[in-house]
Amino acid sequence: MKLRVIGFWGGFPAVNEATSGYLLEEGNYRMLIDCGSAVLSKLQETIAIEELDSVILSHYHHDHIADIGPLQFARHVLSFIKEVRTPLPIYGHTLDRNAFDKLTYKEATKGLKYEPNESLTLGPFTITFLKTIHPVPCFAMRITNGHSTVVYTADSSYQDEFITFSKGADLLISESSFYSNQDGTNAGHMTSVEAANIAEKAGVKHLLLTHLPHYGDHEMLVKDAKDYFKGQVTLARTGFEWCEL
Ligand SMILES: [Zn+2]
Ligand SMILES: [Zn+2]
């Protein structure tokens, strides 16, 4: 299992970079987790659009779904000019029916719902969900291939439930939208210290800080996290790859 950061910015993309997007691969199976702005462009630095097997979305904020429209159109066009298996399944929750319905486009993509209380099997991956604390319904994901486990907090303010949900994970991809001297609770986001607390208490091996702010010194996020978490801490950057051992 291999995870690659396609985009990591919170809210909007920086120059030549993207907001939330993570490519998870196992063998020939390729799943995109979230599809924010500029993700479609940055994804093509790694794989061709037709090589995607599935997409799964945490929630329907623009910085996580902005490139769904372009992806749908790309798959539509590619179905005429290349051998592309359609439709591409895009998994999302149905707590926002209007947003969910837009996941289906012609024969190109098909919106499929995940049930937050049930596990979902996509290719080699088994995924379970945890509702986060965010202004709109949003779900964290725990993904395993049977050997290794990756947990993605998606967008959320701190909740103790993340500790059990992340227990023993090999990689915790945690949002870290705020600095330690700030409080992200009302905005529905976390600081890197809160992320580190989850990582430490859950006994995860590696913490990847992502959904980064557009101000301040990102190295401070790492420095503060390291005061609370003794494992490995990495700042998300485009093209960063994590591989299971
Ligand atoms: Zn959000
Ligand atoms: Zn976001």
Side-chain angles (χ1 to χ4, degrees):
M1 178 156 67
K2 187 167 81 175
L3 181 121
R4 186 182 174 96
V5 175
I6 306 296
F8 61 88
W9 288 99
F12 60 95
V15 177
N16 291 329
E17 300 202 292
T19 62
S20 297
Y22 308 90
L23 182 65
L24 193 61
E25 293 182 66
E26 165 93 29
N28 289 327
Y29 192 88
R30 299 179 176 94
M31 178 174 83
L32 179 66
I33 306 164
D34 282 344
C35 187
S37 41
V39 164
L40 196 62
S41 170
K42 301 306 281 182
L43 178 71
Q44 294 172 86
E45 290 178 346
T46 308
I47 61 166
I49 295 169
E50 59 269 29
E51 290 179 298
L52 265 187
D53 293 291
S54 62
V55 179
I56 189 162
L57 303 172
S58 59
H59 67 305
Y60 301 115
H61 271 157
H62 291 301
D63 57 331
H64 298 254
I65 60 156
D67 269 11
I68 287 293
L71 171 63
Q72 291 173 320
F73 193 68
R75 293 290 289 219
H76 176 62
V77 170
L78 288 168
S79 71
F80 293 109
I81 59 178
K82 284 186 176 178
E83 291 259 321
V84 182
R85 198 160 37 84
T86 55
L88 171 71
I90 303 179
Y91 287 83
H93 68 68
T94 51
L95 296 174
D96 178 342
R97 196 74 220 185
N98 190 36
F100 175 79
D101 287 346
K102 290 180 185 159
L103 303 181
T104 299
Y105 177 71
K106 298 183 186 285
E107 297 296 314
T109 66
K110 172 103 180 123
L112 294 166
K113 69 171 172 178
Y114 56 75
E115 294 288 355
N117 297 324
E118 294 172 9
S119 71
L120 173 70
T121 301
L122 293 184
F125 305 125
T126 302
I127 306 161
T128 47
F129 303 91
L130 174 71
K131 192 157 197 281
T132 75
I133 303 173
H134 202 55
V136 298
C138 176
F139 292 91
M141 301 170 203
R142 183 182 174 101
I143 306 166
T144 180
N145 63 352
H147 306 288
S148 298
T149 300
V150 171
V151 171
Y152 171 48
T153 65
D155 286 10
S156 186
S157 50
Y158 177 84
Q159 55 176 337
D160 285 338
E161 285 78 358
F162 275 134
I163 297 166
T164 349
F165 189 68
S166 310
K167 211 80 193 169
D170 296 278
L171 177 70
L172 172 62
I173 307 165
S174 178
E175 78 127 279
S176 178
S177 305
F178 286 99
Y179 291 90
S180 60
N181 61 346
Q182 298 176 296
D183 183 356
T185 312
N186 288 337
H189 291 295
M190 285 191 273
T191 66
S192 68
V193 167
E194 289 170 318
N197 265 314
I198 296 165
E200 182 65 26
K201 289 179 181 157
V204 311
K205 292 200 181 98
H206 190 162
L207 172 63
L208 178 64
L209 298 173
T210 194
H211 204 276
L212 303 180
H214 289 266
Y215 56 89
D217 177 3
H218 288 169
E219 290 304 329
M220 287 305 292
L221 298 170
V222 176
K223 186 176 172 296
D224 292 340
K226 283 185 170 170
D227 287 341
Y228 294 85
F229 174 55
K230 299 304 165 223
Q232 195 177 351
V233 183
T234 304
L235 206 52
R237 60 184 181 276
T238 308
F240 169 79
E241 273 189 0
W242 169 90
C243 292
E244 79 176 309
L245 297 172

